[in-house]
Amino acid sequence: MSTAELLKGAAELFPDEVVTSANVRHLDLPFGAGRFALITLDNGFDHTKPTTFGPASLANLDTAIDQVEREAAAGEIVGVGVTGKPFIFAVGADLKGVELLKEHKDALAIGKGGHEVFKRLSGLAVPTFAYYNGAAMGGGVEVGLHCSYRTVSAALPAFSLPEVFLGLVPGWGGCTILPNLIGADKAVSVIIENSLNQNKQLKGGQVYDLGIADALFEGADFLEQSLLWTAAVLKGEIAIERPAIDRGEAWDQAVARGRSIADGKVHGAAPAAYRALDIIAAAKDGDLQKGFDAEDVALADLIMGGELRAGIYAFNLVQKRGKRPAGAPDKSLARPVTKVGVVGAGLMASQLALLFLRRLEVPVVLTDIDQERVDKGVGYVHAEIDKLLLKGRVNRDKANRLKALVSGVLDKAEGFSDADFIIEAVFEEIGVKQQVFAEVEAVAPAHAILATNTSSLSVSEMASKLKNPERVVGFHFFNPVAILPLLEIVRGEQTDDASLATAFAVAKKLKKTAVLTKDAPAFVVNRILTRFMGEIQNVIDEGTSVEVAEKAIEPLGLPMSPLVLLELVGPAIGLHVSETLNRAFPDRFTVSPNLAAVVKAGKRGFYVYSAENGFKPELDPEVAALLKQGDVVLTEEQVRNRVLDAVAQEIGLMLDEGVVAEAQDIDLCLITGAGWPFHLGGITPYLDREGVSERVTGKRFLEPGLASVPV
């Protein structure tokens, strides 16, 4: 089947593609270097809708290459360039089309179609040039890899091969060409390490330093400089020297390093990284066509697998649902926030003050019970701004302005009388929080929002003794505040629409992913994690070893093991949340006597770390001595089933209670608040795929085809 027929068939499966055109224009290069054909990739929209490659877009590029191929063969042009519209080169395959594929043969056609078009660029009778003028990802990077030479803009903000992050492989030449261009080790960093490190992006300078691009030019006159450079290359005035690639032991070591990175991140639970590494390993002999064929098969297999569908689902949750929160009131109801008050000046309160200050750039005032604490809180914010200044993230003027906006006082009346939004981050005890809100209400303006950063207490109960309970809202951040995007916004029984709308508007300015939750014990993330952790604690208490209980969860590919997570949260906080949930749901949430003993002994976790053991977690002998266990010993599989059944049961109950609008919100919370991997799609697609949902609740959480291959 010809490339054109292949793409025509694929286009029929994807009628709603946003089609990218490939416009050919001709220009005379400087210094009399000759006539040149420049192909510009453009979907007709501005930079907010990046250029992608679906089947009709690939067909357009194929047609453009037909034209320049004829011109090159006839000696009418001396070279061909490919560039993008302003700010965007191209960001890869159109994933909306991938979601629609139901047959392996159709998935194979997508891989072959991309290869057949792109590799024509390397087969032309004249040199080809890619000018990475803006964001380039996936297939956008790969179309450039097929060219003879590449330039990159210093202003380019994002360059990556993110496929492994989503559950795919770079399947249009990336796995094969990149290691042959820059060496296997650097290729492993780009394809595996960056991808599994939350899809880390490269800047233009890094693309050049890695050797992916042959020249780096400033953004202001990037194309002009690239064409001057092109002319010099074509006239032989500039010769591109590329380092020899080490195809010996270094190649094998790079692949082994990639496998250990993948093991550390996904523990064998998601196939994409391993398939990519197999192709990189096989590319050692430099046979590009063999590599392309392997990419086609891997791409098709993965497109028809659950992990990719879950990855695309997760991507859509974060990019779309996360930006348009379900159940949020009309944003026109939101009131302006021109000053923020923070009750408390401890670490959490100080982190919140810094975030509000940086994102809202309005006065922020902290209060606490003594001057020393207040000074320490303000000092923390100042020190963090100084760090930003040192890193060049803010200039001197901005640093001074931000520092001048933050202050601390003991008197709440002095600090909060003109504040529009006041958040408390004090001790997690209902009486303390009620007292704080009573004091704040007495001095705050009538319109001010009173927000609580509670992780598990009832927002309605906190507001119950106030004159205006309708302005109290839950505003639960996740630690570390600067890194985790999730913000659980909790509607109390009395919270009104204007207060809720203001909370969502503030969340958007804070650049947080806001999810609306009902005022139910521990809301979403902490409720699921506490049930999850509680079941792990139960099996340990009953007699299963710590090692088996921890290893049982590895196939999920979570960012860290349950007991390492407990260490991060703090055993005392974990115990406190489990006690809160035990009071609410005593039949399902237990309080582990062993965890209580660990907390009482003042231990920071179950593990110790030593240099001799490479800082791997080892059970602390003092903790081992505290553990009182029964004699019921389970296998890893039995532990895993128990934990997953418990989580599925809890999610089913939360959906029945209306804690969130849909299962999608639970997944969005776990991805953005607990770092659960994209390849799981959060948790519900995994529970559906493994049959746990139906075993426990009698039905799937998601419609077939939503995070799985359409039937």
Side-chain angles (χ1 to χ4, degrees):
M1 193 186 283
S2 73
T3 305
E5 289 169 322
L6 208 63
L7 293 172
K8 187 169 181 286
E12 284 165 8
L13 297 172
F14 185 18
D16 300 326
E17 177 184 349
V18 176
V19 179
T20 297
S21 60
N23 306 311
V24 182
R25 63 187 173 107
H26 295 89
L27 44 98
D28 291 318
L29 287 171
F31 317 124
R35 191 162 169 75
F36 190 75
L38 182 65
I39 300 171
T40 303
L41 305 169
D42 190 346
N43 62 5
F45 292 90
D46 70 10
H47 66 280
T48 58
K49 200 171 190 102
T51 305
T52 51
F53 293 117
S57 306
L58 287 170
N60 284 342
L61 180 58
D62 197 44
T63 302
I65 296 172
D66 284 342
Q67 179 186 336
V68 297
E69 186 176 57
R70 286 193 301 273
E71 293 168 353
E76 293 166 13
I77 54 173
V78 293
V80 175
V82 181
T83 193
K85 67 184 184 183
F87 309 110
I88 304 287
F89 181 77
V91 298
D94 191 324
L95 292 176
K96 292 195 293 297
V98 172
E99 283 177 273
L100 302 172
L101 298 173
K102 299 178 187 177
E103 304 278 343
H104 192 276
K105 65 177 175 53
D106 296 330
L108 197 61
I110 286 289
K112 284 191 181 303
H115 273 128
E116 292 305 318
V117 175
F118 287 2
K119 73 183 186 189
R120 293 183 69 195
L121 288 165
S122 58
L124 295 178
V126 294
T128 48
F129 298 79
Y131 306 132
Y132 291 124
N133 64 303
M137 294 169 206
V141 168
E142 289 169 302
V143 70
L145 293 178
H146 285 268
C147 293
S148 324
Y149 305 98
R150 286 156 295 282
T151 67
V152 66
S153 166
L156 181 146
F159 182 104
S160 64
L161 289 170
E163 287 84 353
V164 166
F165 175 67
L166 292 170
L168 275 176
V169 297
W172 285 341
C175 287
T176 304
I177 301 174
L178 194 64
N180 279 291
L181 176 69
I182 62 172
D185 197 60
K186 288 178 181 174
V188 162
S189 293
V190 175
I191 294 169
I192 307 296
E193 190 171 16
N194 289 358
S195 210
L196 291 178
N197 190 8
Q198 291 301 310
N199 190 20
K200 183 183 170 193
Q201 300 293 319
L202 297 167
K203 301 271 195 286
Q206 295 168 300
V207 175
Y208 173 68
D209 291 341
L210 281 166
I212 299 172
D214 302 302
L216 175 74
F217 299 114
E218 288 305 317
D221 57 351
F222 170 71
L223 189 57
E224 190 183 337
Q225 292 299 323
S226 292
L227 292 169
L228 285 167
W229 180 86
T230 298
V233 169
L234 290 171
K235 290 183 76 177
E237 291 162 11
I238 292 176
I240 300 305
E241 301 280 331
R242 295 202 179 111
I245 300 300
D246 187 334
R247 298 181 187 280
E249 203 178 317
W251 194 290
D252 302 332
Q253 285 170 349
V255 172
R257 181 174 78 87
R259 290 193 198 285
S260 76
I261 291 166
D263 288 343
K265 291 286 188 182
V266 300
H267 309 284
Y274 302 98
R275 293 294 293 266
L277 286 162
D278 289 345
I279 300 168
I280 294 169
K284 184 177 173 180
D285 62 5
D287 183 339
L288 296 187
Q289 188 53 53
K290 189 177 80 179
F292 296 164
D293 293 342
E295 287 175 356
D296 287 341
V297 174
L299 204 58
D301 290 349
L302 291 165
I303 285 172
M304 299 316 292
E307 281 82 6
L308 171 70
R309 304 307 172 121
I312 294 174
Y313 162 81
F315 184 78
N316 288 336
L317 286 182
V318 173
Q319 294 298 321
K320 294 174 185 167
R321 195 178 185 93
K323 291 179 170 58
R324 288 190 288 279
D330 190 321
K331 54 178 182 276
S332 67
L333 298 172
R335 295 192 284 262
V337 172
T338 59
K339 183 178 179 181
V340 172
V342 181
V343 187
L347 183 58
M348 190 67 179
S350 303
Q351 287 184 68
L352 295 181
L354 179 68
L355 180 70
F356 278 95
L357 184 67
R358 288 193 64 200
R359 298 282 184 243
L360 271 59
E361 294 190 22
V362 299
V364 175
V365 60
L366 297 106
T367 68
D368 213 316
I369 54 174
D370 59 53
Q371 192 63 44
E372 189 184 342
R373 290 177 203 225
V374 169
D375 292 344
K376 190 176 176 187
V378 174
Y380 168 87
V381 177
H382 281 195
E384 291 299 309
I385 293 167
D386 285 336
K387 285 183 196 167
L388 294 171
L389 179 64
L390 273 174
K391 289 177 184 164
R393 305 267 291 280
V394 295
N395 61 26
R396 172 67 64 190
D397 281 352
K398 177 108 178 246
N400 289 340
R401 193 165 74 251
L402 290 176
K403 282 183 180 180
L405 285 170
V406 67
S407 60
V409 294
L410 287 175
D411 181 4
K412 291 187 180 69
E414 182 190 340
F416 299 157
S417 62
D418 57 347
D420 307 302
F421 191 100
I422 300 160
I423 184 165
E424 68 73 28
V426 299
F427 186 65
E428 191 75 348
E429 208 278 309
I430 195 77
V432 174
K433 292 189 186 277
Q434 283 177 330
Q435 184 191 340
V436 160
F437 272 158
E439 291 169 6
V440 170
E441 189 182 47
V443 298
H447 70 272
I449 304 298
L450 307 185
T452 168
N453 183 45
T454 182
S455 59
S456 61
L457 301 175
S458 167
V459 174
S460 305
E461 193 181 342
M462 224 175 282
S464 61
K465 297 180 179 175
L466 298 178
K467 290 196 278 294
N468 299 107
E470 70 279 355
R471 55 176 170 157
V472 176
V473 63
F475 215 62
H476 178 219
F477 290 88
F478 289 78
N479 220 344
V481 170
I483 294 170
L484 288 174
L486 180 64
L487 183 51
E488 290 177 339
I489 295 186
V490 186
R491 180 169 210 153
E493 285 164 19
Q494 310 260 357
T495 309
D496 64 18
D497 281 354
S499 301
L500 204 59
T502 306
F504 274 100
V506 169
K508 189 172 184 182
K509 283 188 177 166
L510 295 175
K511 298 186 178 170
K512 292 294 178 187
T513 300
V515 174
L516 179 63
T517 104
K518 186 177 159 185
D519 186 19
F523 318 126
V524 179
V525 173
N526 284 345
R527 180 161 163 186
I528 292 170
L529 288 187
T530 304
R531 186 77 200 272
F532 173 81
M533 304 281 282
E535 214 51 52
I536 296 278
Q537 294 283 355
N538 288 344
V539 300
I540 292 170
D541 292 352
E542 289 165 19
T544 300
S545 73
V546 168
E547 187 185 1
V548 168
E550 290 265 84
K551 267 189 87 65
I553 304 305
E554 278 189 1
L556 286 169
L558 297 178
M560 61 190 76
S561 76
L563 293 182
V564 172
L565 174 63
L566 181 69
E567 218 166 90
L568 190 71
V569 171
I573 292 173
L575 180 65
H576 176 76
V577 177
S578 68
E579 287 168 342
T580 303
L581 282 158
N582 172 253
R583 285 193 294 275
F585 310 115
D587 56 324
R588 300 194 310 280
F589 287 85
T590 52
V591 178
S592 163
N594 281 319
L595 178 57
V598 167
V599 172
K600 190 178 175 190
K603 304 301 290 184
R604 293 181 59 182
F606 278 62
Y607 292 127
V608 286
Y609 301 84
S610 64
E612 301 88 78
N613 191 33
F615 296 102
K616 290 194 182 97
E618 287 179 285
L619 187 61
D620 182 340
E622 292 178 20
V623 170
L626 292 171
L627 295 182
K628 291 186 168 57
Q629 293 181 279
D631 53 10
V632 178
V633 179
L634 302 183
T635 64
E636 286 177 26
E637 188 181 1
Q638 288 170 322
V639 172
R640 187 162 55 252
N641 286 342
R642 248 182 78 171
V643 171
L644 292 176
D645 285 5
V647 169
Q649 183 194 27
E650 205 57 41
I651 290 170
L653 291 165
M654 288 166 73
L655 292 171
D656 291 345
E657 291 167 29
V659 174
V660 288
E662 293 180 289
Q664 287 94 314
D665 292 313
I666 283 176
D667 292 321
L668 182 57
C669 284
L670 285 174
I671 292 163
T672 57
W676 281 40
F678 264 50
H679 69 259
L680 293 186
I683 183 63
T684 67
Y686 180 82
L687 295 172
D688 285 351
R689 200 163 69 233
E690 297 294 314
V692 181
S693 315
E694 290 185 65
R695 184 169 76 227
V696 175
T697 69
K699 60 182 188 214
R700 295 168 62 96
F701 288 122
L702 300 170
E703 293 295 315
L706 183 54
S708 52
V709 178
V711 178

